[in-house]
Amino acid sequence: MKSFKQLLSSRVPSSSKLLDIAIILSIVPHLFVMKFFMILYIFIALVVIMKKHNSSKDKYILMLTGAILIALSFFNDYNFSNFSRMQFFVSLVSALLIYAVTLQKTTGEINVYLKLSPAFLMLLSFFFFESITMLLYTVFTLFVFTLLNIWSRMNTTLLDVIKLTSQLFVLALPIVVILFLVFPRISFQKSDFGFQADSYLSSGYNDEMHLSSDEVRPSNRVVMEVYFQDENISDDSLYFRGATLYKQNGIDWLKESKNRETDRLIKAKNIINYDITLYPHAKEWIYPLDMPTKAVEKTVLKSDYTLSSIKPIYNKKRYKLDAALSYKLVSKDLSNTLDVDVRNSPQTYKALEELKNSNLSDIQKAVGLMNFFKRQKILYSLKPKNIDLDNFMDSFLFDAKNGYCIHFASSFAMSARLVGIPSRIVTGFRPSKENMIKNYLLVKSSDAHAWVELYVDDRGWMRFDPTTTAMQSARQESQSQVVSKNTLFETINLNFMYAKYVIDSWILDYNRAKQLSILNKLMNDTLYVAKFVASIGGFFILVFILYITIKTPRAKDELMSEVAKLLKALKRHELIKKESEPMREFLLKVQESRGLDTKSLSNAYHELKYSKKDKELNLESLKYEIKILISSLKKKNN
């Protein structure tokens, strides 16, 4: 606490230290997207810069080391086409700028390029991040930049500068809000010019299904955010559809290469509306809730009722969709839905032969299959063991008896075909309501899932999730993984993402359509006008109260302001005050070197600074004495 008070009462450090603070703040966002070799270079540069004395040899070694490490950072990404891609280009520019800044710092000299470098680095960071976190960090950095700029011009304490900077920010709030609401928005949604960002994340999803016995390590990367419109959706309905797979290629499942006749959605009931914010993944995939009813702008509803974008998704996209929670999806084209090689699964075929030859209906056989899987007592595990991929189904169901969703889905789809029921696999996401706050749902890479649709007479395609038959559920397995534990940190993160989503919806996504909507309500809705005026009025009152609360005593601010003017005027006459030099000694030096009487000025300064009486009178006296001294200097020089 004592050290913190000392920090607040500290005087302005050197210009070099102030600039170092600004540079460090501007580099921080870049650290999250830098390659290892570039981070290594920054560490080496810091060691060299912090040395008290740098020889020419040190500088040349740093220059050579930096060139090599930057080349290594971009070696794998380099090709001629990459220069037309945003991420590579901006990464290279930011790396070269940091390289130039560190080399300049080793000289100990401050030039105009070094002063401008923090602003350029912050601008470059906007190409990598478009989030509320970056927005908050930018506001904080702008505050610090303003503070440092003011501090460098005022010989006062850090606390006084914080208060003054806070006042400026508070006073600017009404202007910022008004400009935010009324400044014309320009939409570039239909443009195809300029760079295209490619800083996308892996979603943990693929539109093909490759069977493997490798361990799966789930990731907590966010795939999409879902906001349901006033709907209390059940956990059993949270299936987000990605792709349907019909065709087997050995043990792998692939999408149908030929154009199929379009499925037909009938008896669509329990329609719900929702928004999804899809994170970039450089593919056309969109993951609607089962079952989408129609396409929306710039999307295509395919024959199997999967939804895709007309272009790859390189930036966050928001879609307003609806889904039928109760439906009947029928198809006239069932080709390839019964294809199965009996010879590869003799043990499974024999176990299911009685069910196949029974007089049960398709739906009864499907239920029988689910019961069969339960009786096998298969363990859900992200670390499958002893699965023979050459004899997959028999090995999974009777020997290994462990695996995760793709193993369950593949063996269930093939088992259905063995008993004569058409089947296809659906891949997508199966999140949990544990990651839900109110109507807001967070979908992560670890929620990637596969399930099966069986074509049942008179009911069409019906969803069956064989993974639910496992002895240990997928949810239980996820909870045993460190990456997916719903710990206190995860709860805090979920609440943060929810708050971020709300702010994103109203600030980052505030566009011309929302602007026109507000204008239309102001012109046609009297009640809305009253609420709007009351809100703006309340905001201005809050700003005024905040300003009065943090406002520092006027006399003290004026003292610093007048002293700054005095020091600036004296500096033009080559009279420069040292940082640690007391004001009385400095003014005495001015008197001796220029033959001017500074005694009255010195008395006025110390009277205002230390006396608690007659501050306004003392302030006017100081202004007068400063004016007299500056006038005398001008006359003497003329």
Side-chain angles (χ1 to χ4, degrees):
M1 190 67 182
K2 186 177 179 181
S3 59
F4 181 67
K5 288 182 178 179
Q6 289 176 346
L7 174 64
L8 292 178
S9 60
S10 62
R11 294 281 172 172
V12 58
S14 65
S15 299
S16 178
K17 289 182 179 178
L18 293 176
L19 186 58
D20 288 345
I21 295 170
I23 291 172
I24 290 170
L25 285 173
S26 62
I27 287 177
V28 167
H30 296 267
L31 296 177
F32 293 95
V33 293
M34 279 181 180
K35 301 290 180 67
F36 168 76
F37 291 110
M38 192 62 209
I39 295 175
L40 178 61
Y41 167 71
I42 291 176
F43 176 76
I44 294 172
L46 281 174
V47 173
V48 174
I49 292 169
M50 290 173 69
K51 286 180 65 178
K52 290 185 177 180
H53 302 288
N54 286 317
S55 63
S56 298
K57 183 180 179 182
D58 293 333
K59 297 171 188 176
Y60 287 123
I61 290 175
L62 181 63
M63 184 184 298
L64 180 61
T65 304
I68 293 171
L69 291 176
I70 290 173
L72 289 173
S73 293
F74 292 92
F75 178 77
N76 290 333
D77 294 331
Y78 175 79
N79 58 57
F80 288 106
S81 64
N82 267 342
F83 278 105
S84 65
R85 293 166 55 193
M86 177 61 85
Q87 186 184 22
F88 181 88
F89 180 78
V90 177
S91 297
L92 182 59
V93 171
S94 63
L96 292 176
L97 180 56
I98 292 171
Y99 179 58
V101 166
T102 52
L103 291 179
Q104 180 62 31
K105 284 295 296 179
T106 60
T107 66
E109 298 177 0
I110 299 176
N111 56 24
V112 66
Y113 305 108
L114 200 60
K115 291 180 178 179
L116 292 174
S117 61
F120 285 127
L121 285 168
M122 282 303 298
L123 287 172
L124 288 170
S125 66
F126 295 151
F127 289 97
F128 299 108
F129 305 97
E130 185 183 344
S131 65
I132 190 63
T133 309
M134 188 61 193
L135 175 64
L136 295 175
Y137 185 78
T138 302
V139 172
F140 167 74
T141 306
L142 183 60
F143 179 88
V144 176
F145 284 1
T146 307
L147 183 148
L148 296 176
N149 192 31
I150 294 173
W151 204 11
S152 67
R153 289 164 168 76
M154 294 181 64
N155 184 24
T156 185
T157 64
L158 175 59
L159 179 60
D160 288 335
V161 179
I162 291 174
K163 289 180 178 179
L164 180 57
T165 308
S166 300
Q167 289 178 60
L168 293 175
F169 263 64
V170 170
L171 289 173
L173 276 176
I175 300 172
V176 171
V177 170
I178 291 171
L179 288 175
F180 175 78
L181 289 173
V182 304
F183 197 81
R185 257 55 179 183
I186 301 173
S187 175
F188 294 101
Q189 290 182 352
K190 297 182 179 180
S191 62
D192 293 318
F193 56 85
F195 290 111
Q196 294 294 322
D198 61 354
S199 55
Y200 51 86
L201 298 174
S202 171
S203 66
Y205 166 83
N206 201 331
D207 62 352
E208 296 179 354
M209 198 172 83
H210 304 283
L211 293 185
S212 168
S213 58
D214 295 336
E215 176 185 351
V216 171
R217 296 182 180 180
S219 166
N220 270 340
R221 282 179 171 175
V222 177
V223 175
M224 63 181 177
E225 298 169 279
V226 186
Y227 190 85
F228 298 100
Q229 303 295 328
D230 302 321
E231 295 290 342
N232 186 21
I233 190 168
S234 69
D235 195 63
D236 293 337
S237 299
L238 296 179
Y239 285 84
F240 291 87
R241 193 178 187 85
T244 58
L245 312 177
Y246 293 84
K247 187 179 178 181
Q248 280 187 279
N249 180 20
I251 58 173
D252 298 333
W253 288 81
L254 310 174
K255 294 182 70 175
E256 187 66 76
S257 57
K258 72 183 184 82
N259 293 326
R260 304 182 69 87
E261 187 173 341
T262 303
D263 292 345
R264 199 158 53 91
L265 183 65
I266 58 177
K267 297 182 180 179
K269 299 177 182 178
N270 297 334
I271 306 295
I272 67 166
N273 300 307
Y274 63 100
D275 298 343
I276 66 168
T277 301
L278 193 61
Y279 282 56
H281 50 63
K283 301 291 183 180
E284 294 86 1
W285 308 320
I286 300 175
Y287 316 110
L289 187 69
D290 232 354
M291 182 67 65
T293 63
K294 61 180 181 295
V296 294
E297 185 180 5
K298 296 184 179 180
T299 67
V300 177
L301 187 63
K302 296 187 175 180
S303 61
D304 54 2
Y305 272 73
T306 56
L307 195 65
S308 64
S309 171
I310 59 176
K311 290 183 178 180
I313 298 172
Y314 291 106
N315 300 289
K316 278 207 304 187
K317 297 286 185 182
R318 182 167 294 183
Y319 299 95
K320 291 185 175 295
L321 304 174
D322 59 33
L325 298 184
S326 176
Y327 59 87
K328 182 177 179 180
L329 186 65
V330 298
S331 177
K332 291 183 179 180
D333 186 357
L334 296 175
S335 57
N336 297 333
T337 60
L338 284 171
D339 293 350
V340 62
D341 192 343
V342 177
R343 295 171 299 177
N344 290 337
S345 312
Q347 194 173 357
T348 307
Y349 179 77
K350 184 177 181 180
L352 297 175
E353 190 171 14
E354 182 179 347
L355 182 62
K356 177 187 177 183
N357 296 327
S358 68
N359 294 323
L360 298 175
S361 63
D362 284 350
I363 186 64
Q364 290 173 323
K365 289 181 179 180
V367 172
L369 271 180
M370 291 289 284
N371 291 331
F372 168 72
F373 269 65
K374 286 180 182 178
R375 289 195 300 271
Q376 298 309 111
K377 297 182 179 180
I378 304 169
L379 178 68
Y380 184 92
S381 174
L382 297 176
K383 303 176 182 178
K385 298 178 180 178
N386 306 320
I387 297 179
D388 181 4
L389 296 178
D390 294 328
N391 185 29
F392 165 69
M393 192 151 64
D394 285 353
S395 174
F396 173 70
L397 290 173
F398 298 100
D399 298 324
K401 291 192 175 185
N402 71 94
Y404 46 94
C405 62
I406 64 171
H407 304 110
F408 282 88
S410 180
S411 55
F412 189 83
M414 289 190 289
S415 296
R417 293 181 179 187
L418 285 175
V419 300
I421 305 176
S423 67
R424 64 186 182 188
I425 289 177
V426 183
T427 57
F429 292 90
R430 174 74 172 102
S432 166
K433 289 193 75 172
E434 291 176 358
N435 287 324
M436 195 168 182
I437 298 179
K438 297 181 179 179
N439 297 336
Y440 171 82
L441 175 68
L442 192 64
V443 181
K444 304 176 182 179
S445 291
S446 55
D447 296 320
H449 194 53
W451 59 94
V452 179
E453 286 184 340
L454 303 184
Y455 197 83
V456 178
D457 291 341
D458 299 327
R459 299 198 185 188
W461 290 109
M462 293 183 64
R463 180 175 64 232
F464 289 85
D465 190 350
T467 308
T468 61
T469 66
M471 287 180 62
Q472 180 183 18
S473 71
R475 304 279 170 86
Q476 291 172 322
E477 171 72 9
S478 295
Q479 289 172 359
S480 68
Q481 298 292 319
V482 174
V483 71
S484 298
K485 282 183 179 178
N486 198 10
T487 59
L488 177 61
F489 174 78
E490 288 295 318
T491 303
I492 293 172
N493 182 63
L494 179 60
N495 281 273
F496 170 77
M497 291 296 292
Y498 173 62
K500 169 182 168 295
Y501 179 85
V502 173
I503 296 173
D504 279 351
S505 300
W506 281 101
I507 297 180
L508 299 184
D509 291 338
Y510 182 74
N511 52 28
R512 183 169 175 78
K514 289 184 179 179
Q515 198 174 48
L516 291 174
S517 175
I518 292 174
L519 180 62
N520 182 60
K521 288 181 180 179
L522 288 174
M523 295 177 66
N524 299 292
D525 190 337
T526 306
L527 181 60
Y528 185 84
V529 172
K531 290 180 179 179
F532 184 83
V533 172
S535 300
I536 295 295
F539 176 74
F540 273 77
I541 292 171
L542 181 64
V543 167
F544 178 74
I545 294 172
L546 186 60
Y547 172 74
I548 294 298
T549 302
I550 65 174
K551 187 178 183 298
T552 54
R554 179 178 175 79
K556 199 168 185 180
D557 285 344
E558 290 288 350
L559 170 63
M560 300 308 169
S561 177
E562 294 302 322
V563 169
K565 291 177 184 177
L566 172 65
L567 296 177
K568 186 176 181 181
L570 293 175
K571 189 176 181 180
R572 286 197 292 266
H573 296 280
E574 298 181 354
L575 297 168
I576 302 172
K577 179 182 177 296
K578 298 177 182 178
E579 289 184 18
S580 59
E581 188 176 15
M583 181 61 76
R584 192 182 298 276
E585 291 182 12
F586 173 65
L587 291 176
L588 185 61
K589 186 174 66 176
V590 172
Q591 178 175 307
E592 292 173 351
S593 64
R594 297 302 168 94
L596 299 172
D597 184 8
T598 61
K599 185 177 180 181
S600 298
L601 174 58
S602 180
N603 290 337
Y605 169 81
H606 289 90
E607 188 72 22
L608 178 60
K609 185 172 182 180
Y610 297 110
S611 177
K612 296 182 179 180
K613 299 179 181 179
D614 301 323
K615 285 189 175 292
E616 293 295 331
L617 183 62
N618 290 333
L619 178 62
E620 292 302 319
S621 176
L622 177 66
K623 289 181 179 179
Y624 175 77
E625 295 295 340
I626 290 174
K627 186 177 180 180
I628 293 295
L629 180 63
I630 293 174
S631 177
S632 300
L633 271 174
K634 289 180 179 179
K635 288 180 181 179
K636 206 167 187 64
N637 288 332
N638 291 335

